[in-house]
mmCIF file of all heavy atoms in Angstrom:
data_model
loop_
_atom_site.group_PDB
_atom_site.id
_atom_site.type_symbol
_atom_site.label_atom_id
_atom_site.label_comp_id
_atom_site.label_asym_id
_atom_site.label_seq_id
_atom_site.Cartn_x
_atom_site.Cartn_y
_atom_site.Cartn_z
ATOM 1 N N MET A 288 0.858 -1.192 0.000
ATOM 2 C CA MET A 288 0.000 0.000 0.000
ATOM 3 C C MET A 288 0.886 1.230 0.000
ATOM 4 O O MET A 288 1.852 1.297 0.736
ATOM 5 C CB MET A 288 -0.865 -0.030 1.273
ATOM 6 C CG MET A 288 -1.725 1.156 1.466
ATOM 7 S SD MET A 288 -3.316 0.765 0.734
ATOM 8 C CE MET A 288 -4.148 2.291 0.805
ATOM 9 N N SER A 289 0.551 2.179 -0.834
ATOM 10 C CA SER A 289 1.310 3.426 -0.811
ATOM 11 C C SER A 289 0.359 4.601 -0.928
ATOM 12 O O SER A 289 -0.765 4.472 -1.406
ATOM 13 C CB SER A 289 2.336 3.453 -1.947
ATOM 14 O OG SER A 289 1.657 3.534 -3.183
ATOM 15 N N PHE A 290 0.821 5.729 -0.456
ATOM 16 C CA PHE A 290 0.047 6.955 -0.532
ATOM 17 C C PHE A 290 0.993 8.057 -0.931
ATOM 18 O O PHE A 290 2.112 8.124 -0.433
ATOM 19 C CB PHE A 290 -0.582 7.280 0.824
ATOM 20 C CG PHE A 290 -1.178 8.656 0.880
ATOM 21 C CD1 PHE A 290 -2.433 8.895 0.356
ATOM 22 C CD2 PHE A 290 -0.472 9.714 1.415
ATOM 23 C CE1 PHE A 290 -2.975 10.167 0.372
ATOM 24 C CE2 PHE A 290 -1.008 10.984 1.446
ATOM 25 C CZ PHE A 290 -2.268 11.208 0.922
ATOM 26 N N SER A 291 0.581 8.905 -1.847
ATOM 27 C CA SER A 291 1.429 10.039 -2.195
ATOM 28 C C SER A 291 0.557 11.209 -2.608
ATOM 29 O O SER A 291 -0.583 11.032 -3.021
ATOM 30 C CB SER A 291 2.391 9.668 -3.318
ATOM 31 O OG SER A 291 1.658 9.401 -4.496
ATOM 32 N N PHE A 292 1.077 12.399 -2.431
ATOM 33 C CA PHE A 292 0.375 13.575 -2.921
ATOM 34 C C PHE A 292 1.404 14.611 -3.322
ATOM 35 O O PHE A 292 2.509 14.635 -2.809
ATOM 36 C CB PHE A 292 -0.611 14.143 -1.902
ATOM 37 C CG PHE A 292 0.019 14.657 -0.649
ATOM 38 C CD1 PHE A 292 0.400 15.986 -0.530
ATOM 39 C CD2 PHE A 292 0.216 13.824 0.437
ATOM 40 C CE1 PHE A 292 0.973 16.464 0.637
ATOM 41 C CE2 PHE A 292 0.781 14.298 1.616
ATOM 42 C CZ PHE A 292 1.163 15.615 1.705
ATOM 43 N N THR A 293 1.039 15.445 -4.270
ATOM 44 C CA THR A 293 1.942 16.503 -4.707
ATOM 45 C C THR A 293 1.183 17.815 -4.700
ATOM 46 O O THR A 293 -0.041 17.843 -4.778
ATOM 47 C CB THR A 293 2.468 16.236 -6.132
ATOM 48 O OG1 THR A 293 1.351 16.097 -7.002
ATOM 49 C CG2 THR A 293 3.303 14.967 -6.187
ATOM 50 N N ASP A 294 1.918 18.886 -4.590
ATOM 51 C CA ASP A 294 1.331 20.212 -4.639
ATOM 52 C C ASP A 294 0.761 20.426 -6.037
ATOM 53 O O ASP A 294 1.443 20.170 -7.023
ATOM 54 C CB ASP A 294 2.409 21.262 -4.345
ATOM 55 C CG ASP A 294 1.806 22.611 -4.050
ATOM 56 O OD1 ASP A 294 0.877 23.011 -4.780
ATOM 57 O OD2 ASP A 294 2.244 23.270 -3.102
ATOM 58 N N PRO A 295 -0.483 20.872 -6.152
ATOM 59 C CA PRO A 295 -1.058 21.080 -7.484
ATOM 60 C C PRO A 295 -0.359 22.181 -8.274
ATOM 61 O O PRO A 295 -0.439 22.224 -9.486
ATOM 62 C CB PRO A 295 -2.506 21.459 -7.194
ATOM 63 C CG PRO A 295 -2.526 21.920 -5.785
ATOM 64 C CD PRO A 295 -1.420 21.179 -5.086
ATOM 65 N N LYS A 296 0.340 23.082 -7.582
ATOM 66 C CA LYS A 296 1.031 24.160 -8.279
ATOM 67 C C LYS A 296 2.358 23.643 -8.841
ATOM 68 O O LYS A 296 3.066 22.900 -8.167
ATOM 69 C CB LYS A 296 1.298 25.326 -7.319
ATOM 70 C CG LYS A 296 0.035 26.059 -6.918
ATOM 71 C CD LYS A 296 0.343 27.119 -5.899
ATOM 72 C CE LYS A 296 0.141 26.541 -4.514
ATOM 73 N NZ LYS A 296 0.257 27.464 -3.429
ATOM 74 N N PRO A 297 2.705 24.040 -10.051
ATOM 75 C CA PRO A 297 3.999 23.591 -10.601
ATOM 76 C C PRO A 297 5.145 24.316 -9.895
ATOM 77 O O PRO A 297 5.309 25.520 -10.031
ATOM 78 C CB PRO A 297 3.903 23.974 -12.080
ATOM 79 C CG PRO A 297 2.902 25.078 -12.127
ATOM 80 C CD PRO A 297 1.951 24.855 -10.974
ATOM 81 N N ASN A 298 5.896 23.600 -9.133
ATOM 82 C CA ASN A 298 7.067 24.182 -8.481
ATOM 83 C C ASN A 298 8.081 23.081 -8.215
ATOM 84 O O ASN A 298 7.870 21.932 -8.568
ATOM 85 C CB ASN A 298 6.672 24.905 -7.180
ATOM 86 C CG ASN A 298 5.973 23.978 -6.212
ATOM 87 O OD1 ASN A 298 6.188 22.769 -6.219
ATOM 88 N ND2 ASN A 298 5.127 24.509 -5.368
ATOM 89 N N ASN A 299 9.163 23.432 -7.586
ATOM 90 C CA ASN A 299 10.228 22.456 -7.357
ATOM 91 C C ASN A 299 10.196 21.859 -5.961
ATOM 92 O O ASN A 299 11.147 21.237 -5.528
ATOM 93 C CB ASN A 299 11.593 23.108 -7.612
ATOM 94 C CG ASN A 299 11.777 23.456 -9.081
ATOM 95 O OD1 ASN A 299 11.285 22.750 -9.953
ATOM 96 N ND2 ASN A 299 12.468 24.541 -9.361
ATOM 97 N N GLU A 300 9.104 22.090 -5.253
ATOM 98 C CA GLU A 300 9.001 21.510 -3.915
ATOM 99 C C GLU A 300 8.902 19.992 -4.005
ATOM 100 O O GLU A 300 8.291 19.460 -4.934
ATOM 101 C CB GLU A 300 7.749 22.049 -3.201
ATOM 102 C CG GLU A 300 7.803 23.535 -2.923
ATOM 103 C CD GLU A 300 8.917 23.893 -1.968
ATOM 104 O OE1 GLU A 300 9.109 23.172 -0.976
ATOM 105 O OE2 GLU A 300 9.610 24.878 -2.229
ATOM 106 N N PRO A 301 9.480 19.293 -3.041
ATOM 107 C CA PRO A 301 9.379 17.830 -3.075
ATOM 108 C C PRO A 301 7.962 17.373 -2.768
ATOM 109 O O PRO A 301 7.227 18.049 -2.055
ATOM 110 C CB PRO A 301 10.329 17.382 -1.964
ATOM 111 C CG PRO A 301 10.421 18.553 -1.048
ATOM 112 C CD PRO A 301 10.247 19.771 -1.901
ATOM 113 N N SER A 302 7.591 16.254 -3.330
ATOM 114 C CA SER A 302 6.290 15.685 -3.020
ATOM 115 C C SER A 302 6.430 14.781 -1.810
ATOM 116 O O SER A 302 7.533 14.389 -1.438
ATOM 117 C CB SER A 302 5.750 14.897 -4.212
ATOM 118 O OG SER A 302 6.606 13.805 -4.471
ATOM 119 N N PHE A 303 5.326 14.462 -1.187
ATOM 120 C CA PHE A 303 5.331 13.574 -0.042
ATOM 121 C C PHE A 303 4.891 12.192 -0.488
ATOM 122 O O PHE A 303 3.985 12.063 -1.294
ATOM 123 C CB PHE A 303 4.370 14.092 1.033
ATOM 124 C CG PHE A 303 4.832 15.366 1.670
ATOM 125 C CD1 PHE A 303 4.504 16.584 1.103
ATOM 126 C CD2 PHE A 303 5.609 15.345 2.803
ATOM 127 C CE1 PHE A 303 4.927 17.764 1.673
ATOM 128 C CE2 PHE A 303 6.054 16.518 3.377
ATOM 129 C CZ PHE A 303 5.714 17.726 2.812
ATOM 130 N N SER A 304 5.525 11.195 0.039
ATOM 131 C CA SER A 304 5.156 9.834 -0.320
ATOM 132 C C SER A 304 5.318 8.929 0.887
ATOM 133 O O SER A 304 6.317 9.015 1.602
ATOM 134 C CB SER A 304 6.039 9.345 -1.465
ATOM 135 O OG SER A 304 5.716 8.009 -1.784
ATOM 136 N N PHE A 305 4.337 8.108 1.142
ATOM 137 C CA PHE A 305 4.391 7.177 2.264
ATOM 138 C C PHE A 305 4.096 5.780 1.766
ATOM 139 O O PHE A 305 3.212 5.589 0.946
ATOM 140 C CB PHE A 305 3.361 7.555 3.328
ATOM 141 C CG PHE A 305 3.581 8.925 3.898
ATOM 142 C CD1 PHE A 305 2.861 10.005 3.422
ATOM 143 C CD2 PHE A 305 4.534 9.133 4.869
ATOM 144 C CE1 PHE A 305 3.074 11.272 3.922
ATOM 145 C CE2 PHE A 305 4.745 10.403 5.376
ATOM 146 C CZ PHE A 305 4.018 11.470 4.892
ATOM 147 N N THR A 306 4.837 4.836 2.278
ATOM 148 C CA THR A 306 4.595 3.451 1.907
ATOM 149 C C THR A 306 4.492 2.635 3.185
ATOM 150 O O THR A 306 5.301 2.789 4.095
ATOM 151 C CB THR A 306 5.741 2.896 1.041
ATOM 152 O OG1 THR A 306 5.935 3.771 -0.053
ATOM 153 C CG2 THR A 306 5.417 1.524 0.536
ATOM 154 N N GLY A 307 3.485 1.814 3.261
ATOM 155 C CA GLY A 307 3.309 0.995 4.452
ATOM 156 C C GLY A 307 2.818 -0.375 4.070
ATOM 157 O O GLY A 307 2.231 -0.560 3.012
ATOM 158 N N PRO A 308 3.058 -1.361 4.922
ATOM 159 C CA PRO A 308 2.619 -2.717 4.612
ATOM 160 C C PRO A 308 1.107 -2.876 4.639
ATOM 161 O O PRO A 308 0.566 -3.782 4.048
ATOM 162 C CB PRO A 308 3.274 -3.567 5.698
ATOM 163 C CG PRO A 308 3.561 -2.615 6.803
ATOM 164 C CD PRO A 308 3.789 -1.282 6.166
ATOM 165 N N ASN A 309 0.406 -1.976 5.326
ATOM 166 C CA ASN A 309 -1.052 -2.075 5.350
ATOM 167 C C ASN A 309 -1.679 -0.693 5.489
ATOM 168 O O ASN A 309 -1.018 0.263 5.893
ATOM 169 C CB ASN A 309 -1.513 -3.013 6.472
ATOM 170 C CG ASN A 309 -1.121 -2.494 7.834
ATOM 171 O OD1 ASN A 309 -1.463 -1.375 8.196
ATOM 172 N ND2 ASN A 309 -0.406 -3.282 8.601
ATOM 173 N N PRO A 310 -2.944 -0.565 5.129
ATOM 174 C CA PRO A 310 -3.619 0.740 5.158
ATOM 175 C C PRO A 310 -3.628 1.392 6.536
ATOM 176 O O PRO A 310 -3.673 2.611 6.646
ATOM 177 C CB PRO A 310 -5.050 0.422 4.712
ATOM 178 C CG PRO A 310 -4.932 -0.855 3.968
ATOM 179 C CD PRO A 310 -3.799 -1.616 4.598
ATOM 180 N N ALA A 311 -3.602 0.600 7.597
ATOM 181 C CA ALA A 311 -3.624 1.175 8.945
ATOM 182 C C ALA A 311 -2.403 2.064 9.168
ATOM 183 O O ALA A 311 -2.493 3.104 9.811
ATOM 184 C CB ALA A 311 -3.695 0.073 9.994
ATOM 185 N N ASP A 312 -1.240 1.660 8.647
ATOM 186 C CA ASP A 312 -0.043 2.475 8.788
ATOM 187 C C ASP A 312 -0.206 3.809 8.079
ATOM 188 O O ASP A 312 0.201 4.854 8.586
ATOM 189 C CB ASP A 312 1.179 1.745 8.210
ATOM 190 C CG ASP A 312 1.612 0.563 9.073
ATOM 191 O OD1 ASP A 312 1.159 0.477 10.228
ATOM 192 O OD2 ASP A 312 2.391 -0.263 8.578
ATOM 193 N N VAL A 313 -0.804 3.781 6.886
ATOM 194 C CA VAL A 313 -1.022 5.013 6.131
ATOM 195 C C VAL A 313 -1.979 5.916 6.902
ATOM 196 O O VAL A 313 -1.746 7.114 7.035
ATOM 197 C CB VAL A 313 -1.573 4.706 4.725
ATOM 198 C CG1 VAL A 313 -1.907 6.000 3.989
ATOM 199 C CG2 VAL A 313 -0.562 3.885 3.935
ATOM 200 N N GLU A 314 -3.053 5.325 7.435
ATOM 201 C CA GLU A 314 -4.006 6.115 8.220
ATOM 202 C C GLU A 314 -3.317 6.771 9.409
ATOM 203 O O GLU A 314 -3.568 7.930 9.733
ATOM 204 C CB GLU A 314 -5.152 5.224 8.713
ATOM 205 C CG GLU A 314 -6.168 4.889 7.649
ATOM 206 C CD GLU A 314 -6.908 6.119 7.146
ATOM 207 O OE1 GLU A 314 -7.247 7.006 7.954
ATOM 208 O OE2 GLU A 314 -7.136 6.200 5.929
ATOM 209 N N GLU A 315 -2.441 6.028 10.060
ATOM 210 C CA GLU A 315 -1.724 6.563 11.223
ATOM 211 C C GLU A 315 -0.831 7.729 10.817
ATOM 212 O O GLU A 315 -0.767 8.749 11.499
ATOM 213 C CB GLU A 315 -0.891 5.438 11.856
ATOM 214 C CG GLU A 315 -0.335 5.792 13.215
ATOM 215 C CD GLU A 315 0.347 4.596 13.857
ATOM 216 O OE1 GLU A 315 -0.243 3.510 13.873
ATOM 217 O OE2 GLU A 315 1.485 4.779 14.339
ATOM 218 N N GLN A 316 -0.138 7.587 9.671
ATOM 219 C CA GLN A 316 0.719 8.664 9.193
ATOM 220 C C GLN A 316 -0.106 9.892 8.811
ATOM 221 O O GLN A 316 0.272 11.030 9.108
ATOM 222 C CB GLN A 316 1.552 8.185 8.001
ATOM 223 C CG GLN A 316 2.616 7.178 8.399
ATOM 224 C CD GLN A 316 3.252 6.496 7.216
ATOM 225 O OE1 GLN A 316 2.608 6.267 6.196
ATOM 226 N NE2 GLN A 316 4.507 6.141 7.331
ATOM 227 N N LEU A 317 -1.243 9.670 8.147
ATOM 228 C CA LEU A 317 -2.101 10.792 7.775
ATOM 229 C C LEU A 317 -2.640 11.502 9.008
ATOM 230 O O LEU A 317 -2.739 12.731 9.037
ATOM 231 C CB LEU A 317 -3.258 10.305 6.895
ATOM 232 C CG LEU A 317 -2.880 9.861 5.487
ATOM 233 C CD1 LEU A 317 -4.097 9.310 4.771
ATOM 234 C CD2 LEU A 317 -2.278 11.012 4.711
ATOM 235 N N LYS A 318 -2.987 10.744 10.039
ATOM 236 C CA LYS A 318 -3.484 11.356 11.276
ATOM 237 C C LYS A 318 -2.385 12.193 11.921
ATOM 238 O O LYS A 318 -2.641 13.294 12.412
ATOM 239 C CB LYS A 318 -3.976 10.289 12.244
ATOM 240 C CG LYS A 318 -4.591 10.896 13.504
ATOM 241 C CD LYS A 318 -5.062 9.823 14.462
ATOM 242 C CE LYS A 318 -5.691 10.399 15.708
ATOM 243 N NZ LYS A 318 -5.125 11.674 16.172
ATOM 244 N N ALA A 319 -1.156 11.682 11.907
ATOM 245 C CA ALA A 319 -0.040 12.439 12.477
ATOM 246 C C ALA A 319 0.174 13.739 11.703
ATOM 247 O O ALA A 319 0.400 14.802 12.295
ATOM 248 C CB ALA A 319 1.234 11.592 12.464
ATOM 249 N N ILE A 320 0.082 13.674 10.372
ATOM 250 C CA ILE A 320 0.236 14.885 9.549
ATOM 251 C C ILE A 320 -0.887 15.873 9.857
ATOM 252 O O ILE A 320 -0.654 17.076 10.009
ATOM 253 C CB ILE A 320 0.237 14.516 8.053
ATOM 254 C CG1 ILE A 320 1.499 13.740 7.718
ATOM 255 C CG2 ILE A 320 0.127 15.780 7.189
ATOM 256 C CD1 ILE A 320 1.477 13.130 6.337
ATOM 257 N N ALA A 321 -2.112 15.368 9.965
ATOM 258 C CA ALA A 321 -3.251 16.246 10.263
ATOM 259 C C ALA A 321 -3.073 16.902 11.629
ATOM 260 O O ALA A 321 -3.336 18.096 11.784
ATOM 261 C CB ALA A 321 -4.557 15.451 10.219
ATOM 262 N N ASP A 322 -2.610 16.126 12.612
ATOM 263 C CA ASP A 322 -2.385 16.682 13.948
ATOM 264 C C ASP A 322 -1.331 17.784 13.905
ATOM 265 O O ASP A 322 -1.492 18.840 14.529
ATOM 266 C CB ASP A 322 -1.943 15.585 14.929
ATOM 267 C CG ASP A 322 -3.068 14.610 15.248
ATOM 268 O OD1 ASP A 322 -4.239 14.921 14.944
ATOM 269 O OD2 ASP A 322 -2.769 13.545 15.813
ATOM 270 N N MET A 323 -0.252 17.562 13.153
ATOM 271 C CA MET A 323 0.796 18.583 13.029
ATOM 272 C C MET A 323 0.251 19.828 12.338
ATOM 273 O O MET A 323 0.555 20.955 12.733
ATOM 274 C CB MET A 323 1.989 18.031 12.250
ATOM 275 C CG MET A 323 2.854 17.084 13.059
ATOM 276 S SD MET A 323 4.342 16.593 12.163
ATOM 277 C CE MET A 323 3.696 15.253 11.167
ATOM 278 N N ALA A 324 -0.555 19.626 11.296
ATOM 279 C CA ALA A 324 -1.120 20.763 10.570
ATOM 280 C C ALA A 324 -2.012 21.605 11.481
ATOM 281 O O ALA A 324 -1.950 22.834 11.458
ATOM 282 C CB ALA A 324 -1.914 20.277 9.362
ATOM 283 N N HIS A 325 -2.835 20.942 12.296
ATOM 284 C CA HIS A 325 -3.695 21.676 13.222
ATOM 285 C C HIS A 325 -2.865 22.469 14.222
ATOM 286 O O HIS A 325 -3.192 23.615 14.550
ATOM 287 C CB HIS A 325 -4.630 20.715 13.967
ATOM 288 C CG HIS A 325 -5.745 20.202 13.112
ATOM 289 N ND1 HIS A 325 -6.741 21.010 12.606
ATOM 290 C CD2 HIS A 325 -6.013 18.956 12.649
ATOM 291 C CE1 HIS A 325 -7.571 20.278 11.878
ATOM 292 N NE2 HIS A 325 -7.156 19.024 11.877
ATOM 293 N N GLU A 326 -1.785 21.874 14.715
ATOM 294 C CA GLU A 326 -0.917 22.568 15.668
ATOM 295 C C GLU A 326 -0.245 23.767 15.000
ATOM 296 O O GLU A 326 -0.158 24.843 15.586
ATOM 297 C CB GLU A 326 0.124 21.586 16.216
ATOM 298 C CG GLU A 326 1.095 22.203 17.200
ATOM 299 C CD GLU A 326 0.463 22.665 18.501
ATOM 300 O OE1 GLU A 326 -0.730 22.373 18.742
ATOM 301 O OE2 GLU A 326 1.169 23.311 19.298
ATOM 302 N N ILE A 327 0.216 23.597 13.767
ATOM 303 C CA ILE A 327 0.848 24.711 13.048
ATOM 304 C C ILE A 327 -0.151 25.848 12.863
ATOM 305 O O ILE A 327 0.169 27.019 13.105
ATOM 306 C CB ILE A 327 1.390 24.243 11.682
ATOM 307 C CG1 ILE A 327 2.599 23.332 11.897
ATOM 308 C CG2 ILE A 327 1.754 25.429 10.800
ATOM 309 C CD1 ILE A 327 3.020 22.572 10.654
ATOM 310 N N LEU A 328 -1.373 25.527 12.445
ATOM 311 C CA LEU A 328 -2.389 26.565 12.256
ATOM 312 C C LEU A 328 -2.718 27.267 13.562
ATOM 313 O O LEU A 328 -2.918 28.486 13.596
ATOM 314 C CB LEU A 328 -3.656 25.962 11.648
ATOM 315 C CG LEU A 328 -3.511 25.467 10.204
ATOM 316 C CD1 LEU A 328 -4.772 24.764 9.757
ATOM 317 C CD2 LEU A 328 -3.180 26.628 9.282
ATOM 318 N N ARG A 329 -2.739 26.511 14.664
ATOM 319 C CA ARG A 329 -3.007 27.113 15.971
ATOM 320 C C ARG A 329 -1.885 28.094 16.331
ATOM 321 O O ARG A 329 -2.148 29.207 16.798
ATOM 322 C CB ARG A 329 -3.119 26.011 17.042
ATOM 323 C CG ARG A 329 -3.562 26.539 18.405
ATOM 324 C CD ARG A 329 -3.478 25.469 19.469
ATOM 325 N NE ARG A 329 -2.094 25.067 19.753
ATOM 326 C CZ ARG A 329 -1.246 25.803 20.481
ATOM 327 N NH1 ARG A 329 -1.619 26.960 20.996
ATOM 328 N NH2 ARG A 329 -0.021 25.368 20.694
ATOM 329 N N LEU A 330 -0.642 27.687 16.092
ATOM 330 C CA LEU A 330 0.490 28.556 16.407
ATOM 331 C C LEU A 330 0.505 29.800 15.523
ATOM 332 O O LEU A 330 0.813 30.899 15.986
ATOM 333 C CB LEU A 330 1.804 27.786 16.256
ATOM 334 C CG LEU A 330 2.028 26.678 17.293
ATOM 335 C CD1 LEU A 330 3.229 25.827 16.916
ATOM 336 C CD2 LEU A 330 2.185 27.263 18.674
ATOM 337 N N VAL A 331 0.166 29.641 14.239
ATOM 338 C CA VAL A 331 0.108 30.793 13.338
ATOM 339 C C VAL A 331 -0.948 31.781 13.823
ATOM 340 O O VAL A 331 -0.709 32.992 13.860
ATOM 341 C CB VAL A 331 -0.186 30.343 11.890
ATOM 342 C CG1 VAL A 331 -0.555 31.534 11.013
ATOM 343 C CG2 VAL A 331 1.015 29.602 11.314
ATOM 344 N N ALA A 332 -2.111 31.265 14.221
ATOM 345 C CA ALA A 332 -3.172 32.143 14.720
ATOM 346 C C ALA A 332 -2.712 32.876 15.971
ATOM 347 O O ALA A 332 -2.999 34.063 16.152
ATOM 348 C CB ALA A 332 -4.434 31.327 15.007
ATOM 349 N N GLU A 333 -1.982 32.182 16.833
ATOM 350 C CA GLU A 333 -1.490 32.808 18.058
ATOM 351 C C GLU A 333 -0.488 33.912 17.750
ATOM 352 O O GLU A 333 -0.549 35.008 18.324
ATOM 353 C CB GLU A 333 -0.833 31.735 18.937
ATOM 354 C CG GLU A 333 -0.408 32.241 20.297
ATOM 355 C CD GLU A 333 0.157 31.112 21.162
ATOM 356 O OE1 GLU A 333 -0.424 30.017 21.162
ATOM 357 O OE2 GLU A 333 1.190 31.348 21.797
ATOM 358 N N VAL A 334 0.424 33.658 16.809
ATOM 359 C CA VAL A 334 1.408 34.687 16.419
ATOM 360 C C VAL A 334 0.714 35.885 15.797
ATOM 361 O O VAL A 334 1.020 37.031 16.099
ATOM 362 C CB VAL A 334 2.455 34.088 15.454
ATOM 363 C CG1 VAL A 334 3.320 35.184 14.835
ATOM 364 C CG2 VAL A 334 3.330 33.084 16.185
ATOM 365 N N ARG A 335 -0.266 35.624 14.926
ATOM 366 C CA ARG A 335 -1.003 36.731 14.301
ATOM 367 C C ARG A 335 -1.698 37.580 15.349
ATOM 368 O O ARG A 335 -1.743 38.803 15.257
ATOM 369 C CB ARG A 335 -2.025 36.189 13.304
ATOM 370 C CG ARG A 335 -1.421 35.747 12.011
ATOM 371 C CD ARG A 335 -2.493 35.317 11.047
ATOM 372 N NE ARG A 335 -1.922 35.007 9.748
ATOM 373 C CZ ARG A 335 -2.484 34.210 8.854
ATOM 374 N NH1 ARG A 335 -3.645 33.660 9.113
ATOM 375 N NH2 ARG A 335 -1.898 33.986 7.701
ATOM 376 N N ARG A 336 -2.271 36.914 16.357
ATOM 377 C CA ARG A 336 -2.958 37.632 17.419
ATOM 378 C C ARG A 336 -1.972 38.519 18.185
ATOM 379 O O ARG A 336 -2.254 39.664 18.499
ATOM 380 C CB ARG A 336 -3.642 36.623 18.369
ATOM 381 C CG ARG A 336 -4.533 37.262 19.395
ATOM 382 C CD ARG A 336 -5.422 36.273 20.131
ATOM 383 N NE ARG A 336 -4.879 34.926 20.253
ATOM 384 C CZ ARG A 336 -3.987 34.562 21.183
ATOM 385 N NH1 ARG A 336 -3.518 35.431 22.043
ATOM 386 N NH2 ARG A 336 -3.546 33.319 21.222
ATOM 387 N N GLN A 337 -0.772 37.972 18.453
ATOM 388 C CA GLN A 337 0.235 38.742 19.185
ATOM 389 C C GLN A 337 0.724 39.937 18.358
ATOM 390 O O GLN A 337 0.964 41.011 18.890
ATOM 391 C CB GLN A 337 1.422 37.852 19.563
ATOM 392 C CG GLN A 337 1.073 36.834 20.634
ATOM 393 C CD GLN A 337 2.209 35.863 20.912
ATOM 394 O OE1 GLN A 337 3.266 35.950 20.294
ATOM 395 N NE2 GLN A 337 1.974 34.937 21.832
ATOM 396 N N ILE A 338 0.863 39.723 17.049
ATOM 397 C CA ILE A 338 1.337 40.811 16.185
ATOM 398 C C ILE A 338 0.305 41.940 16.107
ATOM 399 O O ILE A 338 0.642 43.117 16.105
ATOM 400 C CB ILE A 338 1.651 40.280 14.762
ATOM 401 C CG1 ILE A 338 2.900 39.403 14.822
ATOM 402 C CG2 ILE A 338 1.834 41.421 13.776
ATOM 403 C CD1 ILE A 338 3.198 38.683 13.518
ATOM 404 N N SER A 339 -0.963 41.571 16.063
ATOM 405 C CA SER A 339 -2.011 42.584 15.903
ATOM 406 C C SER A 339 -2.269 43.381 17.186
ATOM 407 O O SER A 339 -2.918 44.417 17.153
ATOM 408 C CB SER A 339 -3.307 41.934 15.423
ATOM 409 O OG SER A 339 -3.828 41.076 16.433
ATOM 410 N N ASN A 340 -1.755 42.895 18.304
ATOM 411 C CA ASN A 340 -1.973 43.630 19.578
ATOM 412 C C ASN A 340 -0.977 44.745 19.765
ATOM 413 O O ASN A 340 0.114 44.713 19.331
ATOM 414 C CB ASN A 340 -1.882 42.667 20.767
ATOM 415 C CG ASN A 340 -3.139 41.796 20.854
ATOM 416 O OD1 ASN A 340 -4.143 42.100 20.219
ATOM 417 N ND2 ASN A 340 -3.049 40.710 21.583
#
């Protein structure tokens, strides 16, 4: 089982690719990425709030 995605915009950024022996591993990796993304967005919102004050 493999999972990959690329940025739809044409650029030179690397694409992400995950390979796992079963779908559960891919789900776990996707959940970890989603958790990191939520944390990053939370931190960005906090910085923006501090800048605007």
Side-chain angles (χ1 to χ4, degrees):
M288 176 93 188
S289 68
F290 169 81
S291 65
F292 64 92
T293 57
D294 194 316
K296 290 176 266 186
N298 58 27
N299 293 326
E300 295 296 317
S302 64
F303 292 87
S304 178
F305 299 98
T306 307
N309 63 56
D312 289 345
V313 175
E314 283 296 320
E315 192 174 312
Q316 290 168 327
L317 290 176
K318 184 181 181 327
I320 292 170
D322 290 346
M323 284 186 277
H325 286 295
E326 179 66 8
I327 290 167
L328 292 174
R329 187 188 67 76
L330 292 170
V331 167
E333 186 176 317
V334 169
R335 283 184 175 157
R336 188 168 29 81
Q337 290 174 0
I338 290 172
S339 67
N340 285 345

